[in-house]
């Protein structure tokens, strides 16, 4: 008789964005994921027996819903904004402060949790670009929290899953570039399925703290 695996109950943020939706879709279809909680400001539009949704407007204050965040062993943090057209103070608040608040809350509520943070290719705390510095600081400070594991994902171009509702419209015009980009620069191009599967596969690891560049994501997705 085979060994019975532990239950995998995950929290997903950002499920009404392209990355979060793709991760949610893959988790819904994965036999490795037993329960999913999504926390959104608006309904994500998905229903499933293993899916629970909390509509919550203030991501800077989880005090009213803390009791509903217990019993989860992973968070796939896919919430984020682009730096384009956003002033530096707003970007810092929505990227660093918000992420750290959610992470600090979850690390306090759930022992030995795995935290997967979707950062981005080119992230560098000591880099020249402001967004890269903010993302890098976020990565570094997540590593210091008392999680069981922390994985900082740095994907480049991500090819959406078929049927995604929240994929950026321009992707349908540039998806033809994917096989060319993958051949020329394989570390800069991954599919949504690869990104999501890599997150799911972190749950079979133990005690790791890693930054995952594009090639690392692809490799981990195949475990």
């Amino acid at each position: 008789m085979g060994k019975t695996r532990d239950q995998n109950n995950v929290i997903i943020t950002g499920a009404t964005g392209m990355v979060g939706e793709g991760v949610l879709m893959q988790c819904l279809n994965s036999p490795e994921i037993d329960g999913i909680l999504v926390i959104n400001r608006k309904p994500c539009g998905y229903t499933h027996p293993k899916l629970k949704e909390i509509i919550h407007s203030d991501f800077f204050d989880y005090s009213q819903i803390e009791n509903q965040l217990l019993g989860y062993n992973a968070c796939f943090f896919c919430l984020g904004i682009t730096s384009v057209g956003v002033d530096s103070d707003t970007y810092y608040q929505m990227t660093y402060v918000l992420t750290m608040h959610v992470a600090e809350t979850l690390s306090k509520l759930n022992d030995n949790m795995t935290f997967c943070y979707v950062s981005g290719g080119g992230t560098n705390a000591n880099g020249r670009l402001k967004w890269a510095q903010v993302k890098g600081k976020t990565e570094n400070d997540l590593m210091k929290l008392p999680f069981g594991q922390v994985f900082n994902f740095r994907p480049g171009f991500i090819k959406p899953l078929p049927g995604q509702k929240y994929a950026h419209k321009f992707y349908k015009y540039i998806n033809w570039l994917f096989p060319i980009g993958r051949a020329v620069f394989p570390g800069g191009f991954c599919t949504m399925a690869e990104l999501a599967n890599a997150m799911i596969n972190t749950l079979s690891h133990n005690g790791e703290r890693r930054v995952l560049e594009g090639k690392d994501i692809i490799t981990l997705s195949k475990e």
Side-chain angles (χ1 to χ4, degrees):
M1 185 173 179
K3 179 184 176 183
T4 303
R5 68 168 175 81
D6 294 333
Q7 289 264 312
N8 284 322
N9 296 308
V10 305
I11 295 171
I12 300 174
T13 65
T16 55
M18 188 186 86
V19 175
E21 180 192 24
V23 171
L24 171 60
M25 290 172 68
Q26 203 71 6
C27 286
L28 288 174
N29 290 322
S30 172
E32 297 299 314
I33 303 299
D34 302 289
I36 304 165
L37 171 67
V38 294
I39 308 170
N40 299 316
R41 293 186 177 91
K42 61 182 181 180
C44 68
Y46 287 83
T47 57
H48 193 279
K50 63 182 179 183
L51 176 63
K52 177 184 177 183
E53 183 170 40
I54 296 176
I55 304 302
H56 186 69
S57 60
D58 188 358
F59 277 67
F60 294 93
D61 182 5
Y62 272 16
S63 58
Q64 293 183 346
I65 62 170
E66 280 191 1
N67 64 331
Q68 299 181 68
L69 308 179
L70 296 165
Y72 292 87
N73 64 309
C75 175
F76 298 158
F77 193 93
C78 308
L79 187 66
I81 63 169
T82 176
S83 62
V84 178
V86 177
D87 67 83
S88 58
D89 287 343
T90 299
Y91 185 75
Y92 182 83
Q93 286 290 317
M94 297 301 294
T95 300
Y96 176 79
V97 176
L98 186 151
T99 304
M100 292 304 298
H101 172 72
V102 175
E104 287 165 358
T105 300
L106 292 178
S107 67
K108 176 183 69 175
L109 294 173
N110 295 292
D111 292 335
N112 206 36
M113 193 179 210
T114 294
F115 194 91
C116 292
Y117 174 60
V118 179
S119 182
T123 294
N124 185 347
N126 300 311
R128 180 176 57 85
L129 299 174
K130 186 68 177 178
W131 73 264
Q133 295 172 9
V134 174
K135 287 274 193 179
K137 176 176 172 57
T138 306
E139 287 185 354
N140 291 342
D141 287 353
L142 286 172
M143 294 284 200
K144 300 172 186 175
L145 293 178
F147 287 114
Q149 301 191 103
V150 177
F151 294 87
N152 292 315
F153 285 74
R154 295 181 177 179
F157 182 99
I158 305 169
K159 183 180 180 181
L161 290 167
Q164 283 203 237
K165 296 184 288 187
Y166 303 117
H168 303 302
K169 288 183 174 59
F170 64 79
Y171 274 90
K172 68 180 179 180
Y173 300 110
I174 62 175
N175 271 338
W176 65 271
L177 287 170
F178 182 84
I180 301 171
R182 181 71 167 246
V184 175
F185 184 42
F189 290 75
C190 72
T191 66
M192 185 65 69
E194 287 170 333
L195 177 60
N197 287 339
M199 288 188 177
I200 293 168
N201 288 344
T202 65
L203 303 181
S204 64
H205 290 223
N206 184 40
E208 293 188 19
R209 274 168 159 68
R210 291 180 60 193
V211 170
L212 298 169
E213 303 287 355
K215 287 184 178 180
D216 304 317
I217 294 169
I218 295 166
T219 299
L220 182 55
S221 74
K222 297 174 181 176
E223 286 190 358

